[in-house]
């Protein structure tokens, strides 16, 4: 088996503003009609909302100053200003929510397209990647990324940008009404606020990254344990699994506690800066009022503007954390997209022509890592329409042949030909369409029997499913089920027996109807009676196909047209069953050993 030591950095090592620039094409694309108009409409609504917000303190100051005069003279003027103030508040809320409605489809669509690209990339990555990565960890990266991106975009476009516009506008307003001193004080306070927030939040980002790592570790351990539920039960390892999960959960708890405590420190620092500015600005207004320079309404005027400015600034820590975490999560998704594709189609590669599916391994050298070579210059030929078996001791490289034939990996040296075409020069889609496989462990989707059979070919009709079930000798079994083809097979098909799963896998391959058939120890996990039934079915479907049988039990392949015997990644012997027995070599030794083991089993059974 390939090693599982490969480690891919998916922690968002490039989590900076370059990540945002990379995401912009998903947000601003010419392919989707109306996106630019929607985005322009959202920006216009932001500007209208800010203009309305900035007018509100003027209405409130006017109302307070008007109320300082006799009520009989100014009641209607004050009432009009109060009504204008409340109307502006309502209008601001309306603009903000209409803006959200206009933008929501853009953001969700962008997230959808990015998630689809990540999912597509995961299926393009090699088997080596998927054997090395934990499924729970990868799915968590996608889940975090898709959830955080939309929130991050909302804060960037509808919090940070509008707050900057509002800060500039308030600076101009304060300068025109109170002079440069209040403007300088406000900007210094805002700069100090941003500095403290970003500094503490950067520290918190390290804690948060560690917390996420431990969270993913706890999840992956839980998923791994539950997927191997039967193994846990077999070895009575419930307590061990509980301890492993508890250790991961406790580590996550400690990291989460540190993260939340740092949040309290951040909130205290932010509150000190904002309230210090508020106290200074209002004291300055009171002082101006005492000197006769400012009115009572100016106190309300300044207070209202600072409250409006501080309202988004109060959330700056949370906004910055969300954006920073969103960048990390988004960068992790882009790291998945950037993961090197070990096996890819050559530019302009044609489709495989499988009219004469002779399979040739020409001096193939391969290993899963450079320190261990599995195949040492392997050369063999599988003639078109013939049934060829590949046998040998464990570790000889038999299953590796199947992985190379499907092009899950590329050989280091040599080449693999189908119908005279190097499989590296044709598209992977056409290559895999020409090969059907019945593996030793037939893993089924957690869906219905009908779905799993129809999975063999996209667009397969029910008639095809029924015909394939009949050909795989599973139709009577399905017809006797209460739900027939709608029967759920459970996680990985665990609701079916081994023989039933194998027949579903055979039926799935019949639906695919490939010219080349690979039987990778398809009966080694079955009892003798079921094995003989499955073998009869396999021999029937193998007629007129190029068939490669990778087998451990020699009795299952004794009638093959040609048998290749492998040892230590090399071709040791070849010939028919009788020819190999006459050679009295490795094959004859294996045959004799299996006969003795069979006799011993019969004796024990008696």
């Amino acid at each position: 088996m390939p090693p599982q030591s490969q480690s891919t950095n998916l922690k968002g090592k490039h989590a900076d503003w370059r990540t945002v620039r990379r995401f912009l094409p998903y947000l601003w694309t010419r392919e989707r009609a109306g996106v630019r108009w929607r985005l322009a409409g959202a920006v216009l609504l932001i500007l209208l909302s800010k203009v309305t917000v900035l007018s509100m303190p003027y209405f409130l100051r006017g109302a307070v100053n008007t109320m300082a005069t006799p009520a009989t003279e100014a009641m209607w003027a004050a009432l009009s200003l109060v009504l204008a103030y409340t109307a502006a508040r309502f209008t601001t809320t309306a603009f903000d929510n209409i803006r959200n409605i206009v933008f929501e489809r853009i953001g969700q669509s962008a997230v959808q397209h990015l998630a689809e690209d990540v999912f597509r990339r995961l299926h393009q990555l090699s088997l080596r990647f998927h054997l090395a990565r934990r499924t729970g960890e990868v799915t968590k990266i996608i889940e975090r990324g898709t959830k955080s991106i939309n929130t991050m975009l909302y804060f960037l476009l509808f919090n940070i940008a509008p707050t900057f516009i509002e800060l500039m506008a308030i600076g101009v307003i304060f300068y025109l009404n109170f002079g440069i001193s209040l403007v300088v004080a406000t900007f210094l306070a805002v700069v100090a606020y941003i500095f403290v927030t970003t500094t503490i939040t950067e520290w918190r980002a390290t804690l948060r990254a560690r917390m996420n790592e431990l969270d993913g570790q706890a999840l992956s351990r839980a998923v791994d344990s539950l997927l191997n539920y039967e193994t846990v039960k077999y070895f009575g390892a419930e307590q061990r699994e509980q301890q492993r999960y508890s250790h991961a959960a406790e580590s996550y708890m400690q990291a989460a506690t540190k993260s939340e405590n740092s949040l309290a420190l951040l909130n205290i620092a932010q509150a000190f800066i904002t309230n210090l500015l508020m106290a200074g600005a209002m004291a300055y207004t009171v002082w101006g009022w005492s000197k006769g320079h400012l009115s009572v309404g100016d106190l309300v005027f300044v207070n209202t503007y600072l409250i409006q400015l501080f309202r988004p600034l109060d959330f700056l820590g949370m906004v910055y954390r969300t954006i920073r975490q969103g960048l990390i999560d988004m960068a992790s998704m882009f790291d998945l997209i950037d993961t090197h594709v070990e096996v890819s189609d050559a530019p302009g590669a044609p489709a495989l022509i499988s009219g004469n599916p002779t399979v040739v391994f020409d001096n193939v050298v391969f290993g899963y890592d450079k320190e261990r070579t599995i195949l040492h210059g392997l050369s063999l030929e599988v003639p078109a329409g013939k049934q060829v078996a590949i046998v040998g001791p464990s570790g000889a490289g038999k299953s590796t042949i199947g992985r190379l034939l499907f092009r899950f990996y590329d050989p280091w040296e040599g080449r693999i030909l189908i119908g005279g075409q190097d499989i590296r020069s044709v598209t992977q889609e056409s290559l895999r369409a020409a090969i059907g496989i019945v593996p030793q462990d037939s893993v089924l989707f957690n869906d219905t029997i009908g779905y799993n059979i129809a999975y063999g070919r996209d667009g397969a009709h029910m008639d095809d499913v029924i015909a394939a079930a009949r050909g795989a000798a599973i139709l009577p079994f399905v017809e006797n089920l209460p739900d027939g083809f709608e029967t759920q097979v459970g996680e990985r098909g665990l609701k079916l027996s081994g023989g039933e799963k194998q027949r579903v896998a055979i039926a799935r391959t019949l639906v695919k109807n490939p010219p080349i058939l690979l039987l990778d120890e398809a009966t080694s996990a079955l009892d003798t009676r079921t094995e003989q039934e499955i073998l009869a079915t396999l021999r029937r479907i193998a007629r007129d196909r190029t068939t490669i049988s990778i087998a451990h039990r020699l009795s299952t392949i004794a009638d093959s047209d040609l048998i290749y015997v492998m040892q230590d990644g090399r071709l040791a012997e070849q010939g028919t069953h009788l020819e190999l027995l006459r050679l009295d070599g490795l094959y004859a030794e294996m045959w004799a050993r299996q006969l003795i083991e069979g006799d011993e089993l019969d004796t024990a059974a008696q």
Side-chain angles (χ1 to χ4, degrees), residues 189-190 193 273-275 277-278 305-315:
V190 170
Y193 187 98
I273 295 172
T274 55
N275 285 282
L277 175 60
M278 181 76 76
Y305 269 123
L306 290 179
I307 289 176
Q308 289 180 183
L309 178 62
F310 288 153
R311 185 178 295 115
L313 284 179
D314 281 341
F315 293 101

Side-chain angles (χ1 to χ4, degrees), residues 219-359:
L219 177 67
S220 65
R221 286 187 178 179
V223 171
D224 196 31
S225 180
L226 293 175
L227 286 177
N228 291 280
Y229 171 84
E230 291 186 21
T231 304
V232 174
K233 292 295 183 183
Y234 291 152
F235 294 94
E238 293 90 346
Q239 187 62 34
R240 272 183 284 163
E241 291 299 317
Q242 177 65 36
Q243 289 173 354
R244 289 180 73 240
Y245 180 75
S246 295
H247 177 72
E250 183 179 356
S251 299
Y252 169 75
M253 178 271 293
Q254 293 174 352
T257 301
K258 290 181 181 179
S259 179
E260 291 304 315
N261 289 344
S262 64
L263 174 60
L265 176 62
L266 176 61
N267 290 337
I268 292 172
Q270 290 174 333
F272 176 78
I273 295 172
T274 55
N275 285 282
L276 183 63
L277 175 60
M278 181 76 76
M282 295 182 69
Y284 173 80
T285 309
V286 171
W287 176 82
W289 168 78
S290 68
K291 297 296 183 180
H293 302 151
L294 301 176
S295 66
V296 175
D298 285 325
L299 179 66
V300 178
F301 185 76
V302 170
N303 184 62
T304 305
Y305 269 123
L306 290 179
I307 289 176
Q308 289 180 183
L309 178 62
F310 288 153
R311 185 178 295 115
L313 284 179
D314 281 341
F315 293 101
L316 181 60
M318 185 267 289
V319 170
Y320 183 81
R321 288 193 308 274
T322 301
I323 292 175
R324 193 76 181 90
Q325 187 59 42
L327 288 173
I328 292 173
D329 293 337
M330 192 189 302
S332 296
M333 293 183 69
F334 281 123
D335 281 344
L336 284 176
I337 292 178
D338 292 339
T339 302
H340 173 66
V341 177
E342 184 178 343
V343 178
S344 58
D345 291 341
L352 174 72
I353 301 174
S354 56
N356 183 32
T358 297
V359 178

Side-chain angles (χ1 to χ4, degrees), residues 533-602:
E533 294 174 352
I534 295 292
L535 281 174
T537 303
L538 290 175
R539 291 188 181 101
R540 185 171 63 254
I541 69 171
R543 295 192 190 109
D544 302 322
R545 300 178 197 268
T546 301
T547 305
I548 303 173
S549 298
I550 298 172
H552 173 69
R553 297 182 188 176
L554 303 185
S555 58
T556 63
I557 51 85
D559 59 346
S560 298
D561 297 315
L562 180 63
I563 300 172
Y564 289 108
V565 184
M566 293 183 60
Q567 185 174 29
D568 298 328
R570 295 178 174 86
L571 189 61
E573 300 170 1
Q574 69 181 66
T576 64
H577 173 68
L578 293 178
E579 290 171 347
L580 290 172
L581 289 179
R582 293 193 193 102
L583 283 177
D584 197 24
L586 177 60
Y587 183 86
E589 178 187 341
M590 293 170 60
W591 178 262
R593 185 182 300 117
Q594 291 190 14
L595 285 178
I596 293 172
E597 290 173 354
D599 291 340
E600 289 175 349
L601 288 174
D602 291 340

Side-chain angles (χ1 to χ4, degrees), residues 45 53 80 103 160 190 194 229 390 423 429 465 536 560 591 601:
L45 287 167
V53 166
S80 298
F103 181 79
I160 298 295
V190 170
I194 294 174
Y229 171 84
I390 300 175
I423 63 174
E429 181 180 2
V465 172
S560 298
W591 178 262
L601 288 174

Side-chain angles (χ1 to χ4, degrees), residues 410-467:
D410 281 333
W412 298 346
E413 299 177 18
R415 55 183 186 159
I416 302 171
L417 308 175
I418 294 181
Q421 303 164 86
D422 191 329
I423 63 174
R424 285 177 294 194
S425 66
V426 299
T427 62
Q428 297 176 67
E429 181 180 2
S430 64
L431 168 67
R432 292 165 188 160
I435 308 172
I437 183 171
V438 181
Q440 175 181 354
D441 182 18
S442 300
V443 178
L444 305 181
F445 289 96
N446 189 4
D447 209 298
T448 66
I449 292 177
Y451 174 85
N452 277 281
I453 295 176
Y455 197 82
R457 187 179 74 249
D458 188 23
H461 297 292
M462 195 60 198
D463 292 342
D464 301 321
V465 172
I466 295 173

Side-chain angles (χ1 to χ4, degrees), residues 447-494:
D447 209 298
T448 66
I449 292 177
Y451 174 85
N452 277 281
I453 295 176
Y455 197 82
R457 187 179 74 249
D458 188 23
H461 297 292
M462 195 60 198
D463 292 342
D464 301 321
V465 172
I466 295 173
R470 182 180 294 109
I474 196 176
L475 185 60
F477 164 75
V478 175
E479 290 177 337
N480 288 329
L481 294 172
D483 296 325
F485 284 100
E486 295 302 312
T487 301
Q488 295 287 329
V489 302
E491 187 80 28
R492 302 170 66 204
L494 293 179

Side-chain angles (χ1 to χ4, degrees), residues 12-31:
K13 59 183 177 181
H14 302 303
D16 53 25
W17 297 109
R18 289 175 294 177
T19 304
V20 176
R21 290 199 301 270
R22 187 170 178 183
F23 179 72
L24 288 179
Y26 291 93
L27 192 65
W28 183 274
T29 175
R30 296 180 180 180
E31 286 76 15

